Amino acid sequence: MTKRGVVWTLLVAVIVGLAACGGSADRKAAYMQKGREMYEQKNYDKARVELSNVLQIDPKDIEARFLLGETLAELKDYRAAAGHYLRVIEDDPRHVQARVKMGELYLVSGDRDKTEEMIEQIMKLDAKNADGIVLRGSVKAQTSSGSDL
């Protein structure tokens, strides 16, 4: 193959590669938009599918993973929701809302230690976070009433 042939082959390969990247980015954006719309319309089953498609393309997408956690919580699949919230926290330790959601799940599951640990982390990140303050108040109310979590 001549130099010119090699150059053309490489150029075609680069163009095809770029087109493929653009295609997946476009598909990801479309799935995300549809997932948000389905969530807002309370069509949680379809939102779950669309958001899962986003994560097939980009497993590190924090927004899609958090919204999928929210969707699964709406579908009452709390174990799967918790898995997604924990993954969000792992990938973005400063994601306060994922910590709030985990704190709420720990609270209803009766795990006071993990609930308080989440509250502490929330307050370190955002001492004025309303959801964190409410969560802390819920723990204090249960503790002062003498009831176990």
Side-chain angles (χ1 to χ4, degrees):
M1 185 179 277
T2 67
K3 277 188 178 181
R4 188 176 189 154
V6 171
V7 170
W8 277 106
T9 302
L10 289 173
L11 183 60
V12 168
V14 168
I15 291 171
V16 168
L18 290 174
C21 290
S24 65
D26 291 343
R27 286 192 331 273
K28 177 185 164 188
Y31 289 138
M32 189 67 199
Q33 180 180 348
K34 188 73 170 175
R36 269 193 226 107
E37 289 171 6
M38 293 295 100
Y39 182 84
E40 289 168 7
Q41 294 171 13
K42 300 183 187 310
N43 190 338
Y44 301 120
D45 287 318
K46 286 186 179 178
R48 180 179 46 80
V49 170
E50 298 296 332
L51 295 166
S52 294
N53 287 337
V54 173
L55 294 174
Q56 285 290 321
I57 296 168
D58 181 4
K60 294 279 190 180
D61 189 297
I62 300 294
E63 181 184 2
R65 187 163 302 280
F66 180 76
L67 190 54
L68 182 55
E70 294 286 82
T71 300
L72 292 166
E74 291 292 343
L75 291 168
K76 311 278 189 256
D77 188 351
Y78 301 114
R79 184 179 303 266
H84 287 285
Y85 295 142
L86 289 170
R87 177 75 183 270
V88 168
I89 293 167
E90 179 182 314
D91 290 347
D92 180 4
R94 300 191 59 79
H95 199 288
V96 174
Q97 278 310 108
R99 290 184 182 281
V100 167
K101 295 300 182 173
M102 277 310 304
E104 291 170 351
L105 290 175
Y106 288 141
L107 179 67
V108 299
S109 73
D111 193 331
R112 179 176 292 152
D113 291 339
K114 286 188 178 179
T115 304
E116 289 176 348
E117 180 183 320
M118 248 340 119
I119 293 168
E120 182 180 321
Q121 293 168 356
I122 292 164
M123 293 297 111
K124 282 181 183 175
L125 292 169
D126 181 5
K128 295 181 180 181
N129 182 279
D131 294 324
I133 293 168
V134 168
L135 188 58
R136 183 174 55 197
S138 297
V139 170
K140 286 183 180 184
Q142 287 184 350
T143 303
S144 66
S145 71
S147 70
D148 287 330
L149 286 178

